[in-house]
Amino acid sequence: MLHESCLPQSQTELFGLTLRPAVGLVKPNSSVWYGGSMSLSSRTDSSRDRIVEAATAEFARHGIAGARIERIAKSARTSKERVYAYFRSKEQLYGFIAARELDEIVEATQMDPADLPGYAGRVHDYFVANPAKLRLMRWGQLEFAGTGSDDFARDTVGRKAEKLRRAQQEGLLDPSWDPLDIVVFVNQLAMAWAEQPGLTSSESGARDQFLADRRAAIVAAVERLFSRSHPADEL
C-alpha cells in the first residue's frame, strides 16, 4: 500500500472516491459473527444480507445524509436495532458497502497494464450497465470529502499504481508518466460518458450506437495517451 505522502491532493480519486486516510471503521461490527460454515441458503437469506442489499439501494438513491435507517430496516424486513447490531452507524454501513462494491468493480474490469485501452472500455461498459453503482460511489465523494474514511480506496489505488510501475519497469508503458496520473486519467476518461445520461438518445437502437461510438472514442483516447508505441513526450 502506498504511503499517504505518495498521494498528492490532485491525484487522489478513484471511481469518485476521495483517497485520504480512514478515520472511521468500514467493516461490520466485529462482535457479530459473519464467517464459518453457514449454508449458502442461510447466508443468502440472513438479516445481514438483506440489510446490505436494502442499504445499497437506499444509499444509491438518497446518498449517505439522505438515507434513513428506518427505510433500510423496513426494506430488509428487520428492525433498526438489528441494523445497528451489525453496523454501528450509517456511515460505517456505507463504508462497508462501498468497499464491497469497489472490490466487485475491480474484479469485473480487471486492469491489465499492457492493455489500458481495453481496461478503459470495460470500465465504461460496467458503469453504463450499472448507473446505480456509479451514483453510490459518487455519493461518497460528495459527502465524505475532507473526512477520510476511504482507506479501502487508497488500498486499491496503491495496488493499481504498483502494477503500473512494474509495467513501466518492464517497458510496457512510458516511464515518464506518474503511475497515479495514469490510474486517475484512465478511470476518469472511462467513466466520462457513463455520467452523461441526459446526452444519450432514449431510443434503444440510437442509444446503443451512440454509446458504442463513445466507447470507441474512450478506447482511442487512452490508446493515444498510454500506448507503448505513443509515449507521452511525443504527443
Side-chain angles (χ1 to χ4, degrees):
M1 174 177 173
L2 294 179
H3 189 273
E4 180 185 354
S5 61
C6 297
L7 298 174
Q9 289 293 320
S10 61
Q11 299 174 344
T12 55
E13 287 192 0
L14 177 66
F15 299 129
L17 291 169
T18 305
L19 309 176
R20 297 187 178 89
V23 296
L25 296 171
V26 296
K27 62 182 180 179
N29 189 334
S30 59
S31 66
V32 178
W33 179 85
Y34 299 117
S37 58
M38 183 184 292
S39 69
L40 178 60
S41 61
S42 296
R43 290 200 307 272
T44 302
D45 194 41
S46 72
S47 295
R48 174 181 171 273
D49 291 336
R50 295 197 307 273
I51 289 166
V52 169
E53 181 180 359
T56 299
E58 177 78 6
F59 287 131
R61 187 175 300 114
H62 300 288
I64 300 101
R68 295 292 178 264
I69 293 296
E70 294 89 344
R71 285 197 298 258
I72 293 171
K74 182 178 180 180
S75 179
R77 306 190 307 280
T78 189
S79 65
K80 288 175 56 179
E81 292 74 18
R82 190 64 176 165
V83 175
Y84 285 120
Y86 285 105
F87 301 94
R88 295 189 183 93
S89 68
K90 187 168 60 173
E91 291 73 21
Q92 188 191 50
L93 175 54
Y94 174 84
F96 173 75
I97 290 171
R100 189 190 69 161
E101 292 294 335
L102 187 55
D103 284 343
E104 291 183 4
I105 293 165
V106 170
E107 180 63 26
T109 56
Q110 292 291 322
M111 188 191 78
D112 178 0
D115 183 22
L116 290 176
Y119 165 70
R122 289 189 293 276
V123 172
H124 166 84
D125 292 342
Y126 185 89
F127 284 114
V128 165
N130 298 282
K133 293 180 181 289
L134 182 56
R135 290 197 303 273
L136 178 73
M137 306 309 277
R138 286 307 192 203
W139 281 117
Q141 177 192 22
L142 291 170
E143 298 192 43
F144 282 165
T147 67
S149 74
D150 290 339
D151 200 42
F152 51 88
R154 289 179 59 86
D155 288 343
T156 299
V157 141
R159 288 192 296 270
K160 287 180 181 290
E162 185 55 34
K163 286 180 68 174
L164 293 169
R165 195 182 310 280
R166 289 196 300 268
Q168 288 174 318
Q169 294 169 350
E170 295 167 3
L172 298 176
L173 287 171
D174 178 10
S176 67
W177 285 99
D178 187 313
L180 291 171
D181 282 326
I182 298 175
V183 173
V184 173
F185 292 170
V186 171
N187 280 292
Q188 292 302 313
L189 278 170
M191 292 187 294
W193 282 104
E195 296 189 294
Q196 304 293 334
L199 297 182
T200 61
S201 173
S202 59
E203 298 181 8
S204 179
R207 180 180 185 276
D208 291 346
Q209 185 58 55
F210 180 86
L211 289 173
D213 291 343
R214 303 290 73 72
R215 185 189 196 280
I218 289 167
V219 169
V222 174
E223 174 70 28
R224 292 189 63 187
L225 277 172
F226 302 114
S227 171
R228 186 177 179 179
S229 59
H230 295 81
D233 57 3
E234 293 180 6
L235 293 179

